[in-house]
C-alpha cells in the first residue's frame, strides 16, 4: 500500500494543476505545491496545494488505498493543523483508490458533541470514490490523474487497453524520467 501512496503523492506534487482540476478547481486557476511544514503535520500531509483563487485556500489531497477506521478523525486533525499552519481555509479531499477503503467510519464527516453541551464539531471533507468514476473521465483528464484510470469504473477486460492509452499519453506529454516515476 505504501507504494501506491508514494506514487499518488509524487503525481500530485508533479502535476498539481491536474489534481486541483480533478477535485473541482476551475481550470487555469494558479496553483502551487507547498510543503505542509511542521513536524506534527508532516505525517498527516507531506505536500499540499495552494490555490490562488479570489479567496486563496489550501487543497489537502489524501490518497487512501485501505480502510482506516480513524480516517475521519485523522482528516479533522490534519485540516486543523494545516489551517493553523497556512492561516487560510483548507479543503480536504480523500481519494479512495479501492472499494475496500470505504466504510462506515470514513464517510467524509466527523461529528462529535460534548456531553456537557455547548461544544460540538461538525467537520466535512470531500470523498472521491475512484471506482465509481467513468474511465473516460480519467483518460481525458490531465496526465497527472491518469494513474487512477485502471482502478476506475472499468471492466477487467478493458484494463489492458486503458493502460495502453495511459502509456501513449505519458510518451507524448511527459519527460521520460517523469514517465518512469509515474509507472
Amino acid at each position: 500500500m505504501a507504494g501506491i501512496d508514494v506514487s499518488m503523492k509524487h503525481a500530485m506534487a508533479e502535476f498539481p494543476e491536474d489534481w486541483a482540476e480533478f477535485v473541482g478547481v476551475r481550470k487555469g486557476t494558479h496553483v502551487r505545491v507547498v510543503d505542509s511544514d511542521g513536524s506534527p503535520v508532516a505525517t498527516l500531509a507531506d505536500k499540499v496545494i495552494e490555490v490562488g483563487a479570489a479567496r486563496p485556500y489550501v487543497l489537502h489531497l489524501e490518497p487512501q488505498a485501505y480502510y482506516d477506521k480513524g480516517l475521519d478523525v485523522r482528516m479533522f486533525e490534519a485540516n486543523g493543523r494545516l489551517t493553523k499552519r497556512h492561516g487560510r481555509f483548507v479543503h480536504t479531499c480523500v481519494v479512495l483508490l479501492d472499494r475496500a477503503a470505504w466504510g462506515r467510519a470514513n464517510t467524509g464527516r466527523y461529528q462529535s458533541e460534548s456531553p456537557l453541551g455547548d461544544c460540538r464539531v461538525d467537520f466535512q471533507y470531500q470523498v472521491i470514490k475512484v471506482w465509481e468514476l467513468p474511465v473516460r473521465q480519467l483518460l481525458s483528464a490531465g496526465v497527472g490523474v491518469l494513474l487512477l484510470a485502471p482502478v476506475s469504473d472499468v471492466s477487467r477486460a478493458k484494463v489492458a487497453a486503458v493502460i495502453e492509452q495511459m502509456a501513449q499519453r505519458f510518451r507524448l506529454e511527459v519527460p521520460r524520467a517523469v514517465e518512469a516515476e509515474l509507472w
Side-chain angles (χ1 to χ4, degrees), residues 135 150 152-165:
V135 71
S152 67
D153 186 17
V154 61
S155 68
R156 285 187 188 261
K158 294 183 181 179
V159 169
V162 166
I163 290 172
E164 181 53 38
Q165 289 177 50

Side-chain angles (χ1 to χ4, degrees), residues 36-108:
S36 63
D37 215 43
S39 56
V41 179
T43 59
L44 298 170
D46 298 328
K47 303 247 186 260
V48 294
I49 298 172
E50 196 173 68
V51 180
R55 184 175 149 219
Y57 61 97
V58 171
L59 181 58
H60 166 213
L61 297 167
E62 186 68 30
Q64 186 73 23
Y66 59 91
Y67 180 71
D68 175 1
K69 70 180 180 180
L71 184 66
D72 288 342
V73 172
R74 190 163 52 90
M75 293 304 97
F76 172 63
E77 179 184 14
N79 187 282
R81 289 180 184 223
L82 289 167
T83 299
K84 181 179 179 183
R85 165 73 178 112
H86 294 280
R88 54 183 56 161
F89 187 85
V90 175
H91 180 100
T92 296
C93 177
V94 172
V95 180
L96 295 175
L97 304 170
D98 189 288
R99 288 178 200 273
W102 178 247
R104 288 178 30 195
N106 55 22
T107 61

Side-chain angles (χ1 to χ4, degrees), residues 20 22 30 36 44 86 106 122 129 137 170:
F22 173 67
H30 175 71
S36 63
L44 298 170
H86 294 280
N106 55 22
D122 187 0
K129 300 174 192 172
Q137 176 185 342
F170 286 160

